[in-house]
DNA sequence: GTCTATATGCGGATAGAC
DNA sequence: GTCTATCCGCATATAGAC
């Protein structure tokens, strides 16, 4: 993760990773047969370690959220807030992911599928929650669930990039919080 | 630009660029002595080609906007909207810039300074405009100009990433427009 | 201004000993 | 499970002819 954070995936050298963990290159390749395998392993670990709300089981995945019944909107917002606050404490990890996120837009990137599926599921489960809220009369029927879902993801990723570039000027946690509060006024029915 | 868009900077091969323009590698290096020189040249060209408002002179730069007198808020919003709309027509260019933007977060990247200064100036001139509006009573005094400025940049960059990943689900122009309209309700004094 | 030829280095990955 | 030795390809960049 540290090496990917500094160099991205394509430019990172697995020989350096090996040396960082006290192995030679073939020694490391014994565990991860190829560079791609190592990348995907890193992505998986990161996913498992993302924080969860108090009531949420530890093995609850994004796939579960997207496939299962719609979550209450307040819970979705709480979850995003929680993740954002936690992210502010691990700039190295966020840097690695921001880098890989952009890099994996390339045609034949080994993590392309992973990021595509992941962001697709997030869009889906957020929009799902909003649509459900509209049907039960708790969410403003005038808003577009797909648009709001995209906005939220975009704001999280975009703020991360800007925060990484200007850690002195941009305060990740409170800036996202300000945005959320304004969003809530437009989305919720009072 | 096309090669950078597909491979990023570090992973791009100038030999391929050379071949694409019908030159050999040394032939290309005659014009751009190093790969870094070519990167910076591309960034500069892109800057000059970004669209401007009708009244705005063609040689008016971002530096001018940040250093000069504060612009009216409505003009800032119009400018951002214009740029966003134009961006939706050039996915290749946007891909290159999203890639370089993330990649240049790395410690010794040749474009680090360029992106740092650029985003710093944008934050500055947007916040400047909002502060001026607050003093003259046109902008809600309760909002934080620095926070709103960061939000705007983050939303533009974040939406671009998501749009590049899901061009079928995310409509860059209209999604940003929806966000802007909600922002205006909180920022403007009616 | 553009080429051929080449220097030099680093990348991922494999063979095979221990 | 970890190593040494090695293969092979591609990268940037340079030298020097035309």
């Amino acid at each position: 993760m540290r090496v990917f954070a500094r160099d991205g995936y394509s430019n990172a050298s697995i020989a350096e990773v090996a040396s960082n963990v006290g192995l030679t290159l073939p020694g490391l390749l014994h565990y991860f047969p190829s560079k791609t395998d190592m990348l995907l392993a890193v992505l998986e670990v990161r996913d498992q370690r993302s924080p969860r709300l108090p009531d949420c089981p530890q093995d609850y995945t994004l796939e579960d959220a997207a496939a299962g019944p719609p979550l209450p909107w307040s819970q979705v917002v709480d979850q995003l807030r929680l993740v954002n606050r936690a992210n502010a404490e691990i700039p190295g990890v966020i840097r690695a992911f921001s880098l890989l996120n952009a890099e994996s837009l390339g045609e034949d990137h080994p993590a392309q599928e992973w990021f595509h599926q992941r962001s697709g599921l997030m869009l889906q489960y957020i929009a799902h929650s909003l649509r459900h809220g509209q049907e039960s009369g708790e969410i403003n029927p005038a808003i577009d669930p797909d648009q709001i879902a995209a906005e939220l993801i975009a704001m999280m990723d975009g703020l991360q990039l800007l925060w990484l570039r200007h850690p002195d000027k941009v305060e990740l946690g409170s800036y996202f919080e300000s945005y959320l509060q304004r969003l809530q006024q437009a989305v919720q029915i009072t």
Side-chain angles (χ1 to χ4, degrees), chain A:
Chain A
M1 189 97 75
R2 220 147 44 213
V3 174
F4 285 162
R6 203 195 43 213
D7 300 332
Y9 170 73
S10 312
N11 208 35
S13 144
I14 50 174
E16 194 187 347
V17 175
S19 138
N20 280 22
V21 295
L23 281 177
T24 59
L25 198 156
L28 179 67
L29 287 177
H30 173 71
Y31 299 95
F32 304 99
S34 77
K35 192 183 178 183
T36 298
D37 290 298
M38 196 171 71
L39 170 64
L40 296 178
V42 164
L43 294 175
E44 287 308 322
V45 163
R46 158 67 180 149
D47 232 15
Q48 289 165 11
R49 290 193 186 166
S50 89
R52 275 148 240 269
L53 288 173
D55 295 348
C56 186
Q58 202 59 31
D59 60 347
Y60 188 79
T61 67
L62 182 55
E63 282 83 359
D64 298 331
L71 297 171
W73 173 244
S74 65
Q75 200 169 316
V76 171
V77 172
D78 284 346
Q79 172 68 31
L80 295 178
R81 200 194 331 255
L82 181 70
V83 168
N84 188 258
R85 288 259 173 226
N87 285 347
E89 306 302 319
I90 45 171
V93 176
I94 301 310
R95 176 138 86 170
F97 267 68
S98 298
L99 226 68
L100 294 174
N101 186 26
E103 190 180 2
S104 66
L105 288 169
E107 303 283 321
D108 295 325
H109 198 279
Q112 203 200 29
E113 257 303 299
W114 195 89
F115 277 100
H116 184 87
Q117 195 202 0
R118 184 182 174 68
S119 56
L121 288 174
M122 288 201 69
L123 286 174
Q124 193 178 323
Y125 103 95
I126 296 174
H128 201 185
S129 167
L130 283 166
R131 252 186 293 273
H132 181 75
Q134 286 178 325
E135 287 161 11
S136 62
E138 293 157 7
I139 299 289
N140 183 349
I143 61 104
D144 174 358
D146 294 319
Q147 189 269 331
I148 300 290
E151 235 193 75
L152 268 165
I153 312 282
M155 183 60 80
M156 291 187 75
D157 290 349
L159 266 184
Q160 283 168 18
L161 281 173
L162 205 57
W163 165 67
L164 290 166
R165 174 113 31 219
H166 300 278
D168 48 329
K169 296 182 190 162
V170 176
E171 216 283 311
L172 188 61
S174 76
Y175 278 19
F176 186 61
E177 191 59 41
S178 295
Y179 163 74
L180 271 186
Q181 299 225 347
R182 211 157 1 88
L183 180 66
Q184 285 289 55
Q185 289 179 10
V187 162
Q188 275 183 333
I189 293 187
T190 50

